Amino acid sequence: MIILPAIDIKDGNCVRLLKGDFGTVEKVAEDPFQTAAGFLKAGARYLHMVDLDGAKDAKMVNRDLFTSLARETSLKIELGGGIRTLDAVEYYLANGIERVILGSIAVKNPEFVELAVKEYGDRISVGIDAKDEMVATEGWLDTSDVHFLTLAKEMEKMGVKNIIFTDISKDGTLSGPNLEQLRAIHEAVSCDITASGGIRDIQDIRNLKKLGVWGTICGKSIYKGTLNLEEAILQAADKGDSIC
């Protein structure tokens, strides 16, 4: 299983939110470049990043920060937030980002996802973020009438190979991931599933590894010290795996 430490960016700062609420913004680190270097030193090989401003405003707000970091680190970066056009996808993939994550656009324009997958293959991932099992969009500010499993199956048909699933009610709570919903989506599709939201400690890593998901995103647990990144990577035994 892959461990992906997370850096979420708002106004150029490393922050975390509680359940996706922009009113709960908490700065968790001084510098994204130093934070990434610390993750690399701990043994990480992958990095999950989100442009929170971009997710809310539907455009690439912090793109220069992400591409600068991609140039300076050997970590393989997957990036989501505000990626709504093929030009945006191409820009990031041509400037050091390993994989882009399409979120809201998957609900609002699934044909776009299909086109992107045909062009870029497994360098395209889809983020499915659920609130009461229904898919949320626009930085989690809106909720659709699409069930998360319905969207997952639709994305699988379009050739998507990796889905990042988040139960929004768990995100940032350190209360453990939603194993029931993760099991459901893992069994519903053949895509690699990356678990996100609620991870607290090493037992959660063990539970997710047993479940058989492809990867796990860890954010607040690392910043708050409830999870040791180096220990998590060793527990997950992700050596030899590849992001694509």
Side-chain angles (χ1 to χ4, degrees), residues 55 80 135 139:
V135 178

Side-chain angles (χ1 to χ4, degrees), residues 1-5 39-40 42-45 202 205 227-239:
M1 185 174 72
I2 303 294
I3 298 293
L4 300 101
F39 292 159
L40 183 65
R45 291 181 294 132
I202 199 66
I205 301 301
L227 178 70
N228 179 280
L229 177 57
E230 186 173 359
E231 182 185 8
I233 292 168
L234 291 173
Q235 181 68 50
D238 66 357
K239 291 181 179 179

Side-chain angles (χ1 to χ4, degrees), residues 35-229:
T35 301
F39 292 159
L40 183 65
K41 186 177 180 180
R45 291 181 294 132
Y46 310 98
L47 179 61
H48 174 85
M49 300 196 77
V50 178
D51 185 348
L52 291 175
D53 300 297
K56 182 166 60 71
D57 298 338
K59 58 184 179 180
M60 300 186 294
V61 177
N62 295 290
R63 71 175 192 178
D64 292 343
L65 186 154
F66 298 121
T67 55
S68 293
L69 181 55
R71 286 193 298 269
E72 292 193 18
T73 182
S74 62
L75 292 168
K76 295 182 178 180
I77 300 173
E78 64 172 25
L79 172 66
I83 302 172
R84 302 286 198 276
T85 67
L86 277 179
D87 284 344
V89 172
E90 182 178 1
Y91 178 84
Y92 279 132
L93 294 181
N95 284 277
I97 302 301
E98 187 75 17
R99 182 163 67 189
V100 298
I101 305 162
L102 304 180
S104 299
I105 195 75
V107 176
K108 300 189 172 186
N109 186 4
E111 292 78 13
F112 172 84
V113 177
E114 186 172 25
L115 186 62
V117 170
K118 284 182 179 178
E119 183 71 23
Y120 299 105
D122 53 13
R123 296 188 74 186
I124 302 296
S125 180
V126 167
I128 298 181
D129 310 313
K131 185 180 294 184
D132 297 323
E133 300 192 4
M134 309 309 287
V135 178
T137 62
E138 305 305 330
W140 301 354
L141 298 175
D142 299 327
T143 303
S144 72
D145 59 357
V146 179
H147 192 270
F148 76 95
L149 292 181
T150 300
L151 182 59
K153 292 174 182 177
E154 185 175 0
M155 292 299 102
E156 179 185 33
K157 290 178 182 177
M158 291 182 174
V160 172
K161 299 300 183 185
N162 180 274
I163 291 174
I164 299 168
F165 177 74
T166 306
D167 173 10
I168 294 172
S169 71
K170 291 285 190 177
D171 192 68
T173 65
L174 300 177
S175 61
N178 190 326
L179 295 175
E180 182 179 350
Q181 289 184 6
L182 283 163
R183 182 176 293 106
I185 194 170
H186 180 54
E187 293 176 352
V189 295
S190 61
C191 310
D192 292 333
I193 302 299
T194 300
S196 174
I199 286 82
R200 173 181 173 80
D201 54 29
I202 199 66
Q203 186 57 50
D204 291 330
I205 301 301
R206 295 189 185 105
N207 292 340
L208 290 165
K209 184 181 178 184
K210 184 177 181 180
L211 187 61
V213 296
W214 178 88
T216 302
I217 296 168
C218 304
K220 197 169 189 176
S221 57
I222 296 173
Y223 295 108
K224 294 297 184 181
T226 61
L227 178 70
N228 179 280
L229 177 57

